[in-house]
């Protein structure tokens, strides 16, 4: 259980830089149920850093693609730890990374620049992280602890505050790049106070797919896209072929990175 079966991650860059292949990145392991499981990888918002499971060391690591510098994000993981699903996230600036080990009911938060890391207990899915805080679920698929689907804000000092009435809601685009606003269940939340601010100003038929900046989101309605201001509620139609932010929203499934 947790044995690496396949390696080699190929990333198609959105520029003349071409293809980056990380030969040692694990892509498939034997899972907890004895079946083959794909191994998650994640890419920072700016497309410059990627997180993957390093097969030789059995650690999750982050790589800076321009320099190829790597930073270990976890200690070597046991077969039991690898055989259970992990959740990966990074800050908007690509400096802070989280690896959440679902079976162990904890998250490891690492500063890429300094290598400083700390464990955050009872957080199993991270929906956004900044230098000052992270937002995540206090519920573990295979572990115990916390309230099912309770979304909380964890600060530097270890204090934990739940987001108001946010339970059993679908988290859509999560934390804004500046770490001020959280989006879930078609509602917006103030991260500082935990209070619900109100609904996302979207047409009922559309859905939010990405934060474009601290105050604007990209919304999808069928085959059309709009840029929506969460401050004024204004909506602007955009080019359906290359709407801003769509490439970032779909990056994990496609492996394509803007450069």
């Amino acid at each position: 259980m947790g044995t690496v079966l396949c390696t080699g991650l190929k990333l198609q860059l959105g520029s003349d830089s071409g293809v980056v292949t990380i030969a040692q990145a694990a892509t498939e392991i034997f899972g907890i149920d004895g079946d083959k499981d794909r191994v998650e990888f994640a890419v920072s918002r700016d497309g410059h850093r990627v997180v993957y499971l390093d097969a030789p060391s059995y650690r999750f690591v982050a790589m800076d693609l321009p320099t190829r510098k790597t930073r270990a994000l976890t200690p070597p993981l046991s077969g039991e730890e690898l055989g259970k699903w992990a959740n990966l996230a990074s800050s908007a600036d690509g400096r802070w990374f989280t690896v959440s080990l679902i079976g162990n009911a904890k998250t490891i938060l690492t500063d890429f620049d300094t290598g400083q890391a700390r464990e955050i207990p009872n957080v199993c899915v991270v929906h956004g992280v900044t230098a000052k805080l992270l937002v995540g679920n206090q519920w573990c698929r295979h572990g115990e602890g916390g309230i099912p689907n309770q979304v909380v804000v964890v600060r530097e000092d270890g204090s934990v505050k739940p987001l108001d009435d946010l339970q059993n809601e679908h988290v859509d685009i999560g934390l804004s790049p500046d770490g001020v606003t959280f989006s879930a269940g078609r509602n917006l939340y103030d991260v500082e106070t935990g209070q619900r601010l109100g609904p996302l100003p979207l047409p009922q038929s559309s859905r939010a797919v990405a934060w474009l900046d601290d105050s604007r989101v990209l919304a999808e309605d069928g085959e059309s896209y709009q840029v929506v201001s969460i401050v004024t509620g204004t909506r602007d139609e955009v080019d359906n072929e290359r709407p801003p932010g769509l490439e970032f929203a779909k990056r994990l499934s496609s492996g394509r990175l803007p450069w």
Side-chain angles (χ1 to χ4, degrees):
M1 183 163 51
T3 302
V4 174
L5 298 176
C6 295
T7 61
L9 181 63
K10 183 177 289 187
L11 303 174
Q12 176 68 48
L13 305 183
S15 73
D16 294 336
S17 299
V19 176
V20 170
T21 300
I22 305 174
Q24 70 272 25
T27 57
E28 192 175 67
I29 61 173
F30 268 126
I32 187 173
D33 54 6
D35 294 334
K36 296 177 182 179
D37 286 341
R38 293 181 63 184
V39 182
E40 183 178 358
F41 74 96
V43 182
S44 63
R45 185 181 180 88
D46 63 8
H48 287 190
R49 289 174 177 170
V50 59
V51 183
Y52 59 91
L53 178 64
D54 181 65
S57 68
Y58 277 56
R59 299 172 184 258
F60 276 100
V61 303
M63 174 185 285
D64 183 74
L65 292 169
T67 64
R68 300 299 194 269
K69 175 185 176 181
T70 60
R71 173 73 71 186
L73 304 181
T74 67
L77 300 174
S78 67
E80 182 179 5
E81 289 172 318
L82 286 175
K84 296 177 180 178
W85 183 66
N87 169 258
L88 310 173
S90 68
S91 60
D93 61 5
R95 175 170 176 174
W96 299 88
F97 291 88
T98 61
V99 178
S100 302
L101 301 174
I102 306 303
N104 295 77
K106 69 180 179 182
T107 287
I108 301 172
L109 171 66
T110 306
D111 180 342
F112 185 92
D113 291 356
T114 67
Q116 184 175 0
R118 66 187 179 99
E119 289 189 3
I120 300 171
N122 296 328
V123 172
C124 293
V125 177
V126 173
H127 302 295
V129 59
T130 71
K132 301 295 184 181
L133 57 85
L134 67 79
V135 183
N137 275 92
Q138 272 197 316
W139 175 73
C140 305
R141 181 178 298 182
H142 300 297
E144 298 179 355
I147 302 172
N149 292 341
Q150 179 68 70
V151 179
V152 298
V153 179
V154 183
R155 300 193 177 278
E156 279 184 299
D157 62 5
S159 61
V160 178
K161 183 179 182 63
L163 292 182
D164 184 36
D165 74 14
L166 181 49
Q167 189 169 322
N168 298 315
E169 292 283 8
H170 170 68
V171 175
D172 36 50
I173 53 176
L175 190 64
S176 59
D178 61 2
V180 171
T181 311
F182 191 80
S183 174
R186 297 180 66 88
N187 288 308
L188 295 172
Y189 295 81
D190 184 307
V191 174
E192 179 64 32
T193 65
Q195 294 181 343
R196 184 159 65 93
L197 299 173
L200 265 170
L202 303 179
Q204 189 61 37
S205 60
S206 68
R207 66 185 184 93
V209 295
W211 285 98
L212 298 181
D213 51 38
D214 301 332
S215 63
R216 298 182 306 150
V217 303
L218 178 69
E220 179 183 33
D221 188 352
E223 296 183 356
S224 64
Y225 297 90
Q226 294 179 329
V227 173
V228 180
S229 168
I230 66 170
V231 177
T232 65
T234 56
R235 306 167 188 167
D236 298 315
E237 296 287 340
V238 295
D239 181 0
N240 291 353
E241 295 297 321
R242 293 186 61 84
L246 184 63
E247 190 167 8
F248 169 71
K250 294 185 175 180
R251 185 185 295 153
L252 284 183
S253 60
S254 68
R256 292 191 59 84
L257 315 182
W259 196 254

